[in-house]
């Protein structure tokens, strides 16, 4: 077996072809957008290169490409743990432990050369909204940006020495379902009309204001978590502008109290419902035409909630319910949307898991973010619970 670093356009194409043979008989697999992945590895489009670096490799055997992996680190992420921690992702491999070990070892060695002492995976060299975690329950077509993989991948990771750092749960909900808990909607109606509170949705016209408000909410809502990582304005702006096809401005909501931002909600369109029909992640001109056609035909019926955060001083006051009060009006107006997937929530966040269950959401998927400590004698610790 030969490990080859991806250094030119021919090898980039080979990197994207690796999954074809692995998933050729799997009807649940939906090809991710190649352009989205390539943007991740482009320093001009990914601000994380300011504080880190990334590499990727493919594995060749007897003339065939049988696996791939990427490794990356950035100092904000690395410095948030007991040991400097890098990451691996975009892992694909045939069901062969030796092949997997070569790929994991390649990523580990490169990260060690850059001062890392641990490796999380499979994750992404970007925000954790996309391509984060190893699917372990719920082997079905995934929503846009959610990782899908064969079941045997878990054993490839585990046999190498990875352990689950945290589990990630995804929930499903039809917000227009009349059978949802009546108490939830009574609270939602009450909160939405409370004096001093205002609710407004995002607009690209005022995106600077909204990005700044999101960063403030994010810091206050998650800043007390031991592994909190500050958000980068440029990263968020690039993510928003690269993802316009996924975004409906009325699906991103902010809550203010006396003019100060206190909560944020964002859901995106499930573009995978179209990509599943196109059967390609390559946005050729013809595929773009088909994509826009299917979108105009309202093929997308599902949305994916990727962020819901309330700052601590306002938690437990039903703010989330108020957001859903306004969102329900939008969903009723755009009635072709009948499913919301809330993905994902970590097992380290029991309050948010309890909240989703309280308004009738059903757990559908479980992904795992795994960690490999390079010092095999070091004590392994799971992600701390957010209280």
């Amino acid at each position: 077996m030969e490990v080859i670093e991806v250094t030119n356009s021919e090898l980039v194409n080979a990197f994207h072809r690796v999954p074809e043979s692995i998933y050729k008989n799997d009807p649940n697999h939906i090809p991710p957008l190649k352009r989205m992945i390539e943007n991740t590895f482009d320093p001009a489009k990914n601000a994380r290169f300011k504080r880190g670096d990334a590499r990727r490799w493919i594995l060749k055997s007897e003339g065939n490409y049988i696996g791939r992996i990427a490794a990356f680190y950035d100092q904000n992420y690395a410095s948030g743990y007991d040991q400097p921690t890098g990451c691996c992702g975009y892992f694909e491999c045939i069901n062969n432990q030796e092949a997997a070990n070569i790929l994991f070892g390649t990523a580990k060695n490169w990260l060690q050369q850059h001062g890392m002492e641990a490796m999380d995976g499979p994750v992404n060299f970007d925000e954790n909204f996309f391509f984060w975690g190893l699917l372990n329950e719920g082997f079905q077509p995934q929503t846009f940006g959610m990782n899908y993989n064969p079941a045997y991948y878990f054993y490839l990771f585990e046999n190498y020495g990875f352990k689950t750092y945290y589990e990630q749960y995804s929930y499903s909900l039809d917000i227009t379902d009349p059978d949802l808990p009546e108490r939830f909607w009574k609270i939602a109606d009450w909160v939405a009309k409370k004096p001093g509170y205002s609710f407004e949705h995002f607009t690209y016209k005022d995106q600077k204001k909204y990005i700044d408000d999101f960063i403030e909410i994010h810091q206050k809502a998650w800043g007390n978590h031991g592994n909190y990582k500050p958000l980068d304005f440029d990263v968020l702006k690039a993510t928003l502008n690269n993802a316009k096809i996924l975004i409906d401005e009325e699906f991103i909501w902010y809550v203010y109290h006396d003019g100060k931002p206190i909560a944020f909600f964002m859901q995106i369109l499930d573009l995978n419902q179209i990509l599943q029909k196109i059967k390609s992640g390559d946005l050729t001109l013809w595929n773009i035409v088909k994509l826009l056609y299917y979108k105009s035909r309202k093929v997308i019926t599902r949305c994916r909630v990727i962020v819901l955060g309330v700052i601590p001083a306002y938690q437990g006051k039903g703010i989330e319910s108020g957001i859903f009060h306004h969102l329900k009006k939008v969903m009723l107006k755009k009635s072709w949307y009948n499913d919301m997937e809330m993905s994902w929530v970590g097992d380290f966040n029991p309050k948010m898991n309890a909240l989703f269950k309280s308004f009738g959401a059903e757990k559908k998927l479980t992904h795992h973010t795994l960690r490999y400590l390079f010092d095999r004698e070091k004590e392994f610790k799971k992600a701390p619970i957010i209280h």
Side-chain angles (χ1 to χ4, degrees):
M1 298 184 193
E2 178 188 6
V3 178
I4 304 169
E5 184 177 343
V6 176
T7 56
N8 58 45
S9 58
E10 182 181 344
L11 293 171
V12 166
N13 290 333
F15 182 84
H16 288 291
R17 286 199 306 272
V18 170
E20 293 176 2
S21 60
I22 293 170
Y23 297 103
K24 63 182 178 182
N25 296 317
D26 189 339
N28 290 327
H29 178 252
I30 301 169
L33 288 178
K34 293 179 182 178
R35 184 182 299 174
M36 188 176 179
I37 294 174
E38 286 309 302
N39 287 348
T40 301
F41 294 98
D42 184 347
K45 296 180 179 178
N46 187 346
R48 293 189 182 275
F49 279 96
K50 295 176 184 177
R51 300 175 300 276
D53 202 358
R55 291 289 186 278
R56 49 182 163 163
W57 302 267
I58 47 182
L59 185 63
K60 192 173 186 179
S61 177
E62 298 180 354
N64 298 313
Y65 293 113
I66 62 171
R68 73 180 195 187
I69 199 168
F72 25 83
Y73 70 91
D74 77 81
Q75 295 303 332
N76 280 355
Y77 188 94
S79 62
Y81 301 102
D82 293 341
Q83 66 287 308
T85 302
C87 300
C88 66
Y90 298 104
F91 173 85
E92 303 286 1
C93 189
I94 62 171
N95 192 1
N96 181 296
Q97 191 67 53
E98 181 186 0
N101 289 352
I102 291 172
L103 290 167
F104 293 139
T106 300
K108 173 201 167 189
N109 292 339
W110 183 80
L111 289 170
Q112 273 187 312
Q113 291 168 16
H114 291 83
M116 300 297 109
E117 298 175 10
M119 174 169 65
D120 287 353
V123 300
N124 179 27
F125 193 42
D126 205 338
E127 294 300 330
N128 62 14
F129 309 143
F130 301 120
F131 307 126
W132 205 277
L134 189 71
L135 182 64
N136 198 35
E137 293 178 24
F139 289 89
Q140 61 190 43
Q142 301 292 294
T143 52
F144 186 81
M146 291 295 286
N147 269 342
Y148 179 83
N149 52 263
Y152 69 79
Y153 276 22
F154 189 83
Y155 303 104
L156 296 180
F157 276 82
E158 194 175 50
N159 291 338
Y160 183 74
F162 282 89
K163 294 182 180 179
T164 298
Y165 184 54
Y166 52 80
E167 295 184 12
Q168 306 158 227
Y169 305 132
S170 299
Y171 296 83
S172 180
L173 175 74
D174 178 359
I175 197 173
T176 64
D177 185 347
D179 294 328
L180 293 181
E182 184 179 355
R183 179 177 176 275
F184 175 81
W185 292 114
K186 284 184 177 179
I187 294 172
D189 186 56
W190 173 71
V191 171
K193 297 173 182 176
K194 284 183 71 174
Y197 289 86
S198 60
F199 296 76
E200 57 187 72
H201 67 77
F202 170 86
T203 64
Y204 273 102
K205 176 185 173 184
D206 297 315
Q207 65 173 300
K208 183 183 184 305
K209 164 192 173 333
Y210 288 120
I211 293 173
D212 285 336
D213 288 349
F214 174 58
I215 290 174
E216 180 177 342
I217 294 164
H218 190 273
Q219 191 279 324
K220 291 178 178 177
W222 286 282
N224 65 338
H225 187 206
N227 297 325
Y228 172 75
K229 313 294 182 305
L231 295 178
D232 185 290
F233 181 93
D234 291 336
V235 170
L236 290 175
K237 183 178 180 181
T239 299
L240 276 171
N241 286 293
N242 288 335
K244 283 188 176 181
I245 196 167
L246 303 172
I247 289 176
D248 183 317
E249 292 181 341
E250 291 186 290
F251 285 167
I252 303 176
W253 283 86
Y254 288 79
V255 186
Y256 298 86
H257 184 238
D258 295 335
K260 295 183 179 180
I262 63 167
F264 173 81
F265 170 93
M266 180 179 187
Q267 68 177 10
I268 60 174
L269 307 182
D270 182 15
L271 195 66
N272 271 6
Q273 290 183 298
I274 294 178
L275 296 180
Q276 192 171 28
K277 292 181 175 294
I278 295 176
K279 297 184 177 8
S280 172
D282 195 0
L283 287 186
T284 62
L285 179 59
W286 178 234
N287 281 343
I288 291 173
V289 170
K290 288 195 286 186
L291 189 153
L292 294 174
Y293 168 77
Y294 282 125
K295 190 177 181 186
S296 71
R297 300 293 294 176
K298 299 181 173 54
V299 165
I300 298 177
T301 61
R302 183 168 58 192
C303 304
R304 180 185 159 214
V305 179
I306 58 174
V307 185
L308 172 58
V310 181
I311 69 173
Y314 293 87
Q315 291 173 5
K317 298 180 183 293
I319 302 301
E320 302 92 345
S321 304
I323 294 172
F324 277 77
H325 170 90
H326 289 277
L327 184 65
K328 184 177 181 179
K329 293 179 182 179
V330 177
M331 299 289 275
L332 287 170
K333 181 175 66 176
K334 302 177 180 183
S335 58
W336 57 94
Y337 296 115
N338 57 25
D339 186 15
M340 290 170 53
E341 179 181 286
M342 287 158 281
S343 53
W344 48 268
V345 185
D347 61 0
F348 51 78
N349 193 345
K351 289 182 181 178
M352 191 61 71
N353 280 287
L355 174 71
F356 285 168
K357 292 173 183 176
S358 74
F359 53 69
E362 181 183 356
K363 185 161 79 77
K364 292 285 191 179
L365 310 171
T366 302
H367 287 74
H368 290 236
T369 291
L370 302 114
R371 174 166 290 180
Y372 179 83
L373 300 176
F374 299 166
D375 179 355
R376 305 308 294 154
E377 301 301 315
K378 187 179 178 68
E379 179 187 3
F380 182 88
K381 299 176 183 178
K382 290 198 69 176
I385 301 295
I386 298 176
H387 296 289

